[in-house]
Amino acid sequence: MINQIKQKLSTILVSSCMSGLVICSVAVNAQENQKDVFQVNTSSNVLSANQSNDNNLIEIVGPKPVTEKIYHQTVFSLLGEPKYHDGFQYVNYVNPYAPKGGVIKLAEIGTFDNFNRYASRGAPEKNSGSLYDTLFTNLADDITSFYPLIATSITYSDKYRWAEVSINPKARFQDGKPITAQDVEFTFHKFMTEGVPQYRVYNQGISVKAIDNYHLRIELPASDREKLLSFVGNLPVIPKHFWQDHNFSEPLTIPPVGSGPYFISDYKMGQFVVYKRNPDYWAMDLPVNRGMNNFDEKRIEYYMDSSVSLEAFKAGEYDFRGEGQPKNWFTQYQGQYFDARDIIKQEKSVQTATDSKWLAFNLQKELFKDINVRKAITLAFDFEWLNHAFYYDSYKRPYSFFENTIYAAIGKPSEQELKWLMQYKNIIPDAVFGDAYYVPKSDGQGFNRNNLLVAAELLKQAGWIIKNGQLVNITTNQPFEFELVTYLGDDIKYAIPFQQNLARLGITMKIVSLDYTQVTRRLRERDYDMMPRTYNAFNYPTSDLMILWGSEYLNSSWNGSGLHNQAIDSIIDEITKNVDNQAELISLGRALDRILTQEYPMIPMWYNSKTYYAYWNKFGQPAIQPTYAIGVDSWWYDADKAANLTKNRKH
């Protein structure tokens, strides 16, 4: 028994820390729900040969026993078990022997004026965030787990106040210089001093310190499992030797030194950018990268208009296109290249959480403060007619901010949900305690009569009356007018029928289309009445909800509506404490969903029931497609297929 203890102790690295805590970086591979862990007494560094019933457990005994379990992991998960465990060679959705080479041409809508994805102003190149690797990484078929990338392992305790991370000594920036713990410390300092305000608010009180070149320590001001593990897993690493001479909050007009598999080799500002594969990328053979990043170059063209972009795709100007407009899919994806199967069309049914489109009210505007006003305008949006007339019945309407997940509210609140909701009964809508949010359907004929009648009554209750054919406020005589701000080149076919329905209620809605830079500025300054917003999918509730809905992040550009209250803050706080508790997470997610939807902060527009995409037939693909992505990063260039394309055979 003593020999077993000695062998186990020989793997322990002890370092000092605040309040006399002893940190043990233990060379074992353990999941939290397993017992291959160590117990550490936080008031003494005296080791005892006392052994529990578990042969893998060592107890450190002191005068005031306050024990912590210490976990040392290379792979860790926020929810459930990781799909892949230590020793895996590659993921299921790749060809580990995929050839390297060739070019893939892609497209973006809009423009760009710099390469700093984290700047507080300007229009950054949309893919420039991919220049930097993170400490750990998620996988496209396991988005709740983290796998080693720049880091090799994490050590932390069940108090979730600290973690120590080991950096891979082989890790290199794109200029060949080593990635060190000092770079990680510098990265965090840059984000906290020059990054966007919401980052500083969210991570207030966190410290990141380099212990030596390849070990760093993270400390949190309070126990928070989800925040600790997410922070470590998602932290990108930027090079100190480059960014110490640049302001992280300002646009960067030269390509920065990155840490990822591709670097910027060519560009014309606002028009195109070329990402070239780094042949010396140190992490190319890591399990998470085998069979990935197979193209020598990724060339990205920018188009100001989606229609122009589509015609360019059909002419072969770029290779892959995801289509978000069903009418285009059913009417425009045809011609000789489609007939010859030079261009392949694919449809993938949406079975997981998916991004959805909403129209956000700016709740800071006095016009939208009354919930009855927001309900009335929501009823004026005739989804059923729009979907049939313009979108080939391809869209579904979201009734939840957790659409297509078990966290979407259904029926009436359960007892568990009521446990969270009742304490805020005085500050949340009464409708929260009834049936789940639902917008009555129209008859789909384009008249929307019943919903407009209800809307008119709601507006009357809110103090608005018709005078000379115009809706005016009964007290101020102010006409009901507002502005819908949209992106130039976006599909806004929905806007005119919506405008016409509002006109029947006496409301004037002006439609303003602006370019990407102007919209971004107005969004940041909250200078708009209403704006279309894409609500990013949540496969499960996480602390990221704070940035979208939390009061501390009211000025965040992600909170399109500006909705916030104590009930929302408190339930999100409970979510962060229960990310690893599925039963509680379900009731918390549904409770939050009820509050968010019944406040009517945004008008639900739609999401695609299928993912539509097309590509030129010159690529090889793995046999398995990942659950949460199309998986283009695992494709490879096939020279034989490219040579056989009709347009290539003609030359």
Side-chain angles (χ1 to χ4, degrees):
M1 180 180 295
I2 297 298
N3 287 336
Q4 291 176 344
I5 294 173
K6 286 181 178 179
Q7 290 172 5
K8 191 68 75 173
L9 290 179
S10 68
T11 67
I12 299 177
L13 169 67
V14 179
S15 63
S16 63
C17 71
M18 66 175 190
S19 303
L21 175 65
V22 177
I23 306 161
C24 298
S25 299
V26 186
V28 295
N29 296 318
Q31 296 304 314
E32 288 179 25
N33 58 350
Q34 297 174 337
K35 295 184 179 179
D36 195 7
V37 297
F38 290 86
Q39 289 186 350
V40 178
N41 183 284
T42 61
S43 59
S44 172
N45 59 359
V46 179
L47 302 181
S48 169
N50 295 334
Q51 191 172 19
S52 72
N53 292 330
D54 187 338
N55 289 331
N56 292 318
L57 195 64
I58 290 180
E59 190 173 0
I60 301 176
V61 181
K64 295 180 180 179
V66 180
T67 6
E68 292 187 50
K69 290 183 178 179
I70 308 299
Y71 304 100
H72 179 88
Q73 297 172 313
T74 56
V75 177
F76 57 97
S77 181
L78 296 175
L79 184 64
E81 284 287 317
K83 180 169 183 175
Y84 303 94
H85 294 281
D86 296 327
F88 78 101
Q89 298 300 305
Y90 52 87
V91 297
N92 292 344
Y93 55 87
V94 302
N95 171 8
Y97 309 107
K100 307 289 186 183
V103 176
I104 185 169
K105 293 176 289 183
L106 304 169
E108 295 284 2
I109 305 299
T111 186
F112 67 97
D113 60 17
N114 78 93
F115 298 107
N116 181 9
R117 195 71 182 90
Y118 306 105
S120 298
R121 63 184 184 89
E125 200 286 307
K126 294 182 180 180
N127 303 273
S128 54
S130 66
L131 288 167
Y132 308 105
D133 276 344
T134 48
L135 291 176
F136 293 81
T137 186
N138 303 119
L139 300 177
D141 61 351
D142 186 7
I143 58 175
T144 64
S145 299
F146 293 96
Y147 297 83
L149 191 50
I150 292 174
T152 58
S153 65
I154 178 175
T155 302
Y156 59 99
S157 87
D158 64 350
K159 301 301 181 186
Y160 307 112
R161 290 285 304 275
W162 60 268
E164 289 193 356
V165 177
S166 297
I167 304 296
N168 195 324
K170 298 178 182 178
R172 294 290 184 273
F173 289 109
Q174 292 166 346
D175 59 2
K177 294 186 178 181
I179 300 175
T180 68
Q182 286 82 5
D183 289 299
V184 182
E185 180 180 333
F186 172 82
T187 298
F188 181 66
H189 176 75
K190 273 288 194 183
F191 272 107
M192 289 299 288
T193 56
E194 299 173 8
V196 293
Q198 52 266 32
Y199 186 90
R200 296 197 291 271
V201 173
Y202 183 75
N203 293 304
Q204 185 177 7
I206 293 180
S207 69
V208 176
K209 297 291 184 184
I211 298 172
D212 56 35
N213 284 348
Y214 298 110
H215 297 88
L216 63 122
R217 180 176 174 84
I218 295 99
E219 293 180 356
L220 267 60
S223 177
D224 191 327
R225 177 183 182 275
E226 195 267 346
K227 191 170 189 176
L228 177 68
L229 298 185
S230 292
F231 177 85
V232 172
N234 290 314
L235 186 63
V237 183
I238 65 174
K240 180 178 180 180
H241 62 272
F242 177 89
W243 278 104
Q244 64 187 352
D245 299 322
H246 296 88
N247 189 329
F248 202 52
S249 66
E250 291 297 315
L252 182 73
T253 56
I254 60 170
V257 175
S259 53
Y262 287 88
F263 64 92
I264 295 173
S265 62
D266 192 15
Y267 65 92
K268 187 170 184 180
M269 198 67 77
Q271 296 186 30
F272 75 87
V273 60
V274 176
Y275 286 83
K276 188 171 184 178
R277 184 169 58 86
N278 180 6
D280 300 318
Y281 179 47
W282 73 274
M284 68 174 68
D285 293 324
L286 289 183
V288 294
N289 283 326
R290 286 195 65 191
M292 302 286 285
N293 307 311
N294 300 314
F295 301 109
D296 279 348
E297 288 186 358
K298 295 191 287 188
R299 182 184 177 93
I300 301 167
E301 299 282 351
Y302 274 74
Y303 297 87
M304 293 300 295
D305 184 272
S306 183
S307 298
V308 174
S309 171
L310 174 56
E311 293 307 313
F313 169 73
K314 293 194 292 184
E317 295 300 314
Y318 63 96
D319 300 322
F320 175 92
R321 178 180 171 88
E323 182 54 69
Q325 300 182 31
K327 185 175 182 179
N328 283 347
W329 184 252
F330 289 107
T331 63
Q332 300 298 311
Y333 285 72
Q334 51 189 271
Q336 62 167 329
Y337 294 137
F338 293 92
D339 295 338
R341 290 192 59 79
D342 287 348
I343 300 178
I344 305 297
K345 295 173 61 178
Q346 294 287 301
E347 299 181 6
K348 183 179 180 181
S349 294
V350 173
Q351 298 176 336
T352 60
T354 183
D355 295 351
S356 49
K357 294 284 286 186
W358 303 65
L359 288 173
F361 296 103
N362 183 354
L363 300 187
Q364 290 186 359
K365 300 288 186 176
E366 189 64 34
L367 195 62
F368 299 131
K369 291 288 178 75
D370 193 312
I371 193 172
N372 280 338
V373 168
R374 304 198 296 272
K375 287 181 180 179
I377 296 177
T378 299
L379 288 168
F381 190 88
D382 190 350
F383 166 77
E384 285 71 31
W385 183 81
L386 290 167
N387 192 30
H388 183 70
F390 294 143
Y391 305 117
Y392 287 72
D393 295 316
S394 291
Y395 286 148
K396 291 184 178 180
R397 196 170 200 184
Y399 295 110
S400 167
F401 290 106
F402 297 108
E403 194 73 22
N404 277 356
T405 75
I406 59 175
Y407 307 99
I410 53 174
K412 296 186 185 300
S414 66
E415 288 186 14
Q416 281 296 99
E417 292 171 55
L418 290 173
K419 179 183 73 172
W420 305 114
L421 294 170
M422 285 301 296
Q423 55 193 310
Y424 306 109
K425 186 175 177 62
N426 294 331
I427 63 170
I428 58 179
D430 291 340
V432 167
F433 298 94
D435 288 325
Y437 173 82
Y438 181 75
V439 180
K441 294 182 178 181
S442 74
D443 59 10
Q445 301 301 310
F447 300 107
N448 199 21
R449 184 174 183 275
N450 291 339
N451 281 351
L452 290 178
L453 287 172
V454 175
E457 180 59 31
L458 288 168
L459 290 167
K460 183 178 179 181
Q461 293 174 19
W464 295 86
I465 59 172
I466 295 290
K467 184 181 291 187
N468 298 324
Q470 189 175 38
L471 193 68
V472 298
N473 187 276
I474 196 170
T475 303
T476 66
N477 215 37
Q478 170 196 357
F480 200 124
E481 298 177 349
F482 71 94
E483 189 177 79
L484 171 66
V485 176
T486 67
Y487 284 97
L488 188 68
D490 260 8
D491 169 33
I492 57 170
K493 291 190 292 290
Y494 67 87
I496 300 299
F498 183 38
Q499 183 185 54
Q500 292 170 344
N501 273 344
L502 290 171
R504 293 174 188 173
L505 295 170
I507 297 172
T508 299
M509 183 183 79
K510 300 175 183 178
I511 303 168
V512 179
S513 294
L514 304 174
D515 65 29
Y516 174 74
T517 303
Q518 291 173 302
V519 172
T520 301
R521 178 187 61 79
R522 292 185 64 168
L523 178 64
R524 287 170 176 166
E525 297 174 1
R526 205 174 286 279
D527 179 20
Y528 59 92
D529 299 323
M530 179 182 285
M531 185 182 288
R533 299 288 285 158
T534 297
Y535 190 81
N536 293 327
F538 277 86
N539 287 280
Y540 65 99
T542 75
S543 61
D544 289 344
L545 289 161
M546 289 183 181
I547 301 174
L548 290 175
W549 301 107
S551 296
E552 290 184 281
Y553 303 89
L554 182 58
N555 294 323
S556 163
S557 59
W558 291 304
N559 190 340
S561 67
L563 173 65
H564 67 109
N565 62 43
Q566 181 57 48
I568 294 170
D569 293 342
S570 297
I571 290 180
I572 295 175
D573 186 53
E574 290 294 335
I575 283 171
T576 64
K577 299 174 184 176
N578 287 278
V579 169
D580 59 338
N581 185 333
Q582 180 74 297
E584 292 285 25
L585 202 59
I586 291 173
S587 64
L588 283 163
R590 291 178 179 178
L592 178 65
D593 195 32
R594 292 180 190 279
I595 298 173
L596 296 179
T597 52
Q598 296 293 358
E599 287 279 7
Y600 285 78
M602 300 197 283
I603 300 172
M605 294 175 70
W606 51 66
Y607 65 92
N608 259 320
S609 58
K610 292 183 178 179
T611 299
Y612 302 118
Y613 63 96
Y615 57 91
W616 281 82
N617 190 15
K618 53 183 178 180
F619 304 109
Q621 300 178 35
I624 297 174
Q625 191 175 57
T627 307
Y628 300 102
I630 294 171
V632 177
D633 285 341
S634 64
W635 294 10
W636 60 91
Y637 183 78
D638 189 319
D640 291 336
K641 285 185 177 181
N644 283 321
L645 293 175
T646 303
K647 68 187 187 80
N648 289 338
R649 292 200 306 268
K650 291 178 180 178
H651 293 85

